[in-house]
């Protein structure tokens, strides 16, 4: 397929896997330790299973309640205190209250820091938080806050877990609701684009132009990879709307469109 302009609306990045997973020395069944991206609870028989879910974001909450509904006993482990928020970032990031200062910041590294501060790690919606507390009262859920796994091993058909506070656990399954890492340099879809049109990359995020265009070609980026321009809400629906407002003029207005004769992308000549 040949196209003059491409809009890439990618979701999350690669699954983030904690270091201790790479240090597991014993072999274990592949379905007994999974990242949330590869878990389909509908395919699992969980009645009576003890499941450890690691993570403090909304995904971990859904995974916990879903497993409980299928008969599992769940421990939810969070590296800090459980946080409840309606939005990933404060509503001020949806408009000029915070975005004005963000877009005025010319230091891309500082912008990246502002994004991290605004998102401030994982959180639950109040609705999911209420459901988790109800399951805890019913005896189906244990919540371990300010706790992290430092070592895990598979032995005699179960996981043996050691945490940073010295506590230990045993369980039948581990679910990693540890999020994803957005990094354009590790995404094979962008390999040839970065070679043909090298641009600055800040902590895995590309520096795009004001229309979210990859400088040098007619490739437009939406989603988390556009965060340096859109801000901390780039990954959600509000960010998608903001990104669309930026991209649309470059697709429809002759005064904004650019032409790159003989442009080569992904091995094909776009003329």
């Amino acid at each position: 397929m040949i196209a003059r302009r491409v809009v890439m609306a990618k979701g999350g990045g690669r699954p983030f896997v904690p270091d201790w997973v790479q240090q597991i020395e014993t072999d274990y069944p592949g379905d007994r330790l999974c990242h949330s991206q590869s878990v389909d609870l509908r395919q699992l028989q969980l009645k009576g299973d003890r499941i450890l879910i690691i993570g403090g974001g909304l995904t971990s909450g859904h995974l916990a309640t879903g497993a409980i509904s299928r008969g599992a006993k769940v421990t939810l482990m969070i590296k800090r205190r459980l946080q409840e928020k309606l939005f990933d970032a404060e509503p001020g990031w949806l408009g000029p209250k915070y975005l004005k200062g963000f877009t005025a910041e010319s230091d891309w590294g500082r912008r990246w820091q502002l994004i991290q501060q605004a998102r401030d790690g994982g959180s639950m919606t109040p609705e999911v938080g209420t459901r988790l507390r109800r399951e805890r009262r019913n005896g189906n859920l244990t919540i371990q806050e300010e706790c992290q796994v430092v070592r895990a091993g598979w032995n005699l058909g179960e996981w043996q877990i050691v945490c940073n506070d010295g506590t230990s656990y045993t369980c039948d399954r581990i679910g990693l609701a540890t999020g994803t890492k957005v990094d354009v340099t590790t995404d094979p879809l962008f390999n040839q684009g970065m070679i043909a049109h090298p641009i600055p990359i800040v902590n895995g995020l590309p520096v795009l132009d004001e229309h979210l265009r990859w400088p040098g070609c007619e490739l437009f980026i939406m989603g988390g990879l556009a965060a340096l321009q859109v801000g901390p809400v780039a990954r959600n629906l509000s960010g998608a709307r903001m990104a669309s407002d930026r991209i649309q003029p470059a697709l429809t207005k002759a005064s904004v469109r650019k032409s790159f004769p003989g442009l080569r992308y992904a091995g094909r000549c776009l003329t």
Side-chain angles (χ1 to χ4, degrees):
M1 179 181 292
I2 296 178
R4 287 185 176 276
R5 298 172 184 85
V6 175
V7 179
M8 190 170 292
K10 287 184 63 68
R14 291 177 175 269
F16 174 77
V17 177
D19 291 340
W20 58 264
V21 175
Q22 312 301 330
Q23 298 166 5
I24 296 174
E25 297 179 351
T26 52
D27 293 332
Y28 57 88
D31 64 340
R32 294 303 172 123
L33 191 158
C34 299
H35 192 275
S36 58
Q37 282 198 343
S38 61
V39 172
D40 185 351
L41 292 176
R42 297 169 298 181
Q43 306 298 321
L44 299 176
Q45 299 295 325
L46 301 178
K47 188 172 180 61
D49 278 7
R50 301 162 299 164
I51 301 181
L52 173 64
I53 296 175
I54 297 172
L58 187 58
T59 298
S60 66
H62 286 307
L63 197 57
T65 54
I68 290 169
S69 71
R70 286 161 176 80
K73 295 291 185 180
V74 174
T75 296
L76 180 61
M77 186 175 292
I78 306 171
K79 66 181 179 180
R80 56 182 185 177
R81 306 294 294 181
L82 190 151
Q83 293 192 91
E84 294 185 24
K85 296 189 296 186
L86 280 172
F87 306 100
D88 291 338
E90 292 186 31
W93 285 104
L94 301 176
K97 182 176 181 180
Y98 296 150
L99 284 177
K100 184 177 181 180
F102 179 81
T103 55
E105 176 58 67
S106 59
D107 185 320
W108 298 108
R110 176 58 182 159
R111 284 202 193 190
W112 185 86
Q113 292 175 352
L114 291 172
I115 293 167
Q116 309 314 305
Q117 293 169 9
R119 294 187 64 85
D120 193 29
S123 63
M124 312 275 187
T125 62
E127 176 189 4
V128 171
T130 298
R131 291 167 60 189
L132 292 176
R133 286 189 291 272
R134 182 170 63 244
E135 296 295 354
R136 182 168 57 181
R137 289 194 300 270
N138 292 338
N140 298 319
L141 175 68
T142 300
I143 301 178
Q144 296 292 340
E145 299 175 289
E146 299 181 327
C147 185
Q148 297 185 68
V149 174
V150 294
R151 188 168 67 254
W154 179 260
N155 186 37
L156 299 177
E158 66 179 13
W159 285 107
Q160 297 179 349
I161 307 295
V162 178
C163 299
N164 60 341
D165 60 1
T167 57
S168 59
Y169 300 89
T170 58
C171 62
D172 302 301
R173 298 176 185 269
I174 300 176
L176 301 174
T178 46
T180 59
K181 180 175 177 56
V182 178
D183 188 344
V184 70
T185 65
T186 63
D187 192 324
L189 285 174
F190 295 96
N191 284 348
Q192 293 193 40
M194 286 188 290
I195 294 172
H197 305 284
I199 63 173
I201 306 293
V202 179
N203 292 303
L205 300 180
V207 177
L208 308 171
D209 73 10
E210 61 179 309
H211 297 292
L212 310 187
R213 174 170 34 208
W214 190 287
C217 62
E218 290 287 75
L219 173 65
F220 300 84
I221 309 294
M222 299 176 67
L225 287 174
L228 288 178
Q229 289 71 31
V230 176
V233 300
R235 299 189 195 190
N236 62 29
L237 288 175
S238 298
R241 176 185 55 78
M242 295 161 64
S244 298
D245 290 343
R246 284 173 172 253
I247 293 172
Q248 182 266 335
L251 299 180
T252 60
K253 296 183 179 180
S255 59
V256 180
R257 291 201 303 264
K258 292 183 179 180
S259 176
F260 300 97
L263 171 65
R264 291 189 175 273
Y265 185 72
R268 301 298 296 274
C269 184
L270 309 184
T271 57

